[in-house]
């Protein structure tokens, strides 16, 4: 008995992947990581010029100090019946707002240091030293090796045969390697334009595989009795194959 299968082209992608972006505006002053480098969670990857954030933090600190003095003065005058309790409520509200502003400014200053959010490998660096970073701009992409999968697009007429598919073999033509899939999962939606569904195939640990690499998935739909010969018995001469 031999397996009946149909192939589908796919791309390798990381299950655990994160894109690190800038949260403040500033020029990239230092780059400490590059594509292919292994990093640990918390490692410093980049530093951004945060002079504007530092100035904002100092201004927020001064505003808080002024609000604190005003609150203490108002509290003293209210206790002596020179001011109403409404004035104290306003002073307390101003102090709370200044404290929140100070905390936000301090957090913004800390965002100048870009650290790894997870342990993994740098897949791509999107910025160079001297580039201008802006909030939301991607700086680095990190993925965890050993947690890879491939995603294949299956046309709708194939879905009926795919319902009972539990196993698949994944071929890496560039590596000359085959591996058995760990899990096959058909996503419950189809693309409205192309009428294809996505099928995710989890992989075992393949150290040579990297995100973006081409792979071919052979989905096993059943078995059949067929006559086979050893591959070593096949002789090829140009376009002619013989046994």
């Amino acid at each position: 008995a031999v397996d009946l299968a149909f192939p589908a082209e796919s791309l390798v992608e990381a299950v655990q992947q994160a894109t690190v972006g800038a949260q403040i505006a500033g020029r990239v002053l230092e780059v400490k990581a590059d594509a292919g480098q292994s990093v640990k969670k918390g490692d410093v990857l980049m530093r951004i010029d945060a002079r504007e954030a530092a100035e904002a933090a100092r201004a927020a600190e001064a505003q808080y100090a002024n609000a604190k003095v005003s609150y203490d003065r108002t509290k003293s005058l209210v206790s002596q019946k020179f001011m109403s309790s409404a004035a104290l409520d306003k002073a307390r509200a101003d102090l709370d707002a200044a404290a929140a502003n100070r905390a936000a400014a301090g957090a913004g200053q800390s965002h100048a240091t870009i650290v790894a959010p997870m342990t993994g490998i740098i897949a791509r660096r999107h910025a160079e030293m001297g580039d201008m970073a802006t909030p939301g701009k991607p700086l680095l992409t990190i993925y965890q090796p050993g947690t890879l999968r491939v995603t294949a697009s299956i046309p709708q007429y194939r879905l009926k045969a795919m319902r009972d598919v539990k196993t698949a073999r994944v071929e890496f033509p560039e590596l000359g390697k085959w591996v058995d899939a760990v899990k096959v999962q058909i996503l419950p939606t189809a693309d409205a334009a192309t009428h294809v569904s996505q099928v995710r195939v989890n992989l075992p640990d393949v150290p040579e595989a990297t995100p973006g690499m081409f792979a071919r998935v052979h989905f096993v739909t059943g078995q059949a009795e067929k006559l086979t010969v050893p591959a070593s018995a096949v002789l090829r001469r140009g376009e002619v194959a013989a046994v």
Side-chain angles (χ1 to χ4, degrees):
V2 296
D3 290 335
L4 296 177
F6 70 88
E9 296 182 351
S10 61
L11 291 176
V12 178
E13 60 185 25
V15 176
Q16 297 293 331
Q17 179 172 298
T19 298
V20 182
Q23 293 181 269
I24 60 171
R27 196 163 300 281
V28 178
L29 296 180
E30 187 179 8
V31 177
K32 300 175 71 68
D34 201 357
Q37 181 178 335
S38 296
V39 296
K40 294 181 179 179
K41 184 177 181 179
D43 285 354
V44 176
L45 306 179
M46 285 186 178
R47 296 188 190 278
I48 298 175
D49 185 357
R51 282 177 292 182
E52 290 187 12
E55 292 297 333
R58 281 194 286 271
E61 186 66 38
Q63 182 184 9
Y64 174 80
N66 185 51
K68 182 70 167 61
V69 170
S70 177
Y71 173 76
D72 291 341
R73 184 187 304 115
T74 302
K75 186 177 181 181
S76 175
L77 291 174
V78 169
S79 66
Q80 298 175 43
K81 308 297 185 182
F82 289 117
M83 295 186 72
S84 66
S85 58
L88 181 61
D89 292 339
K90 183 181 183 306
R92 183 183 292 109
D94 291 341
L95 179 61
D96 291 342
N101 190 36
R102 180 181 66 167
Q109 191 175 9
S110 70
H111 293 155
T113 301
I114 308 299
V115 299
M118 58 193 286
T119 298
I121 296 176
I122 304 293
R124 186 180 177 188
R125 191 177 72 195
H126 304 276
E128 303 292 338
M129 188 170 65
D131 285 352
M132 188 66 186
T134 55
K137 179 181 178 180
L139 300 176
L140 298 139
T141 300
I142 305 173
Y143 76 96
Q144 283 188 351
T147 57
L148 299 177
R149 68 187 177 203
V150 296
T151 300
S153 297
I154 304 298
Q156 287 184 2
Y157 72 87
R158 288 280 195 181
L159 290 180
K160 184 177 181 181
M162 284 289 298
R163 297 301 178 192
D164 298 324
V165 170
K166 302 298 181 185
T167 60
R169 299 203 70 209
V170 183
E171 175 190 3
F172 296 92
E174 296 177 6
L175 303 177
K177 188 170 186 176
W178 291 69
V179 298
D180 292 326
V182 174
K183 181 182 178 182
V184 177
Q185 178 187 14
I186 303 175
L187 299 187
T189 56
D191 187 273
T194 60
H195 306 296
V196 298
S197 292
Q198 302 293 313
V199 180
R200 288 177 177 170
V201 179
N202 288 40
L203 301 174
D205 188 13
V206 185
E208 305 91 337
T210 58
M213 180 178 287
F214 169 76
R216 187 176 291 112
V217 185
H218 297 262
F219 294 101
V220 179
T221 58
Q223 288 190 327
E225 295 292 336
K226 290 190 176 183
L227 180 64
T228 62
V229 296
S232 58
V234 179
L235 184 65
R236 299 184 185 277
R237 290 291 183 268
E239 298 296 325
V240 179
V243 176

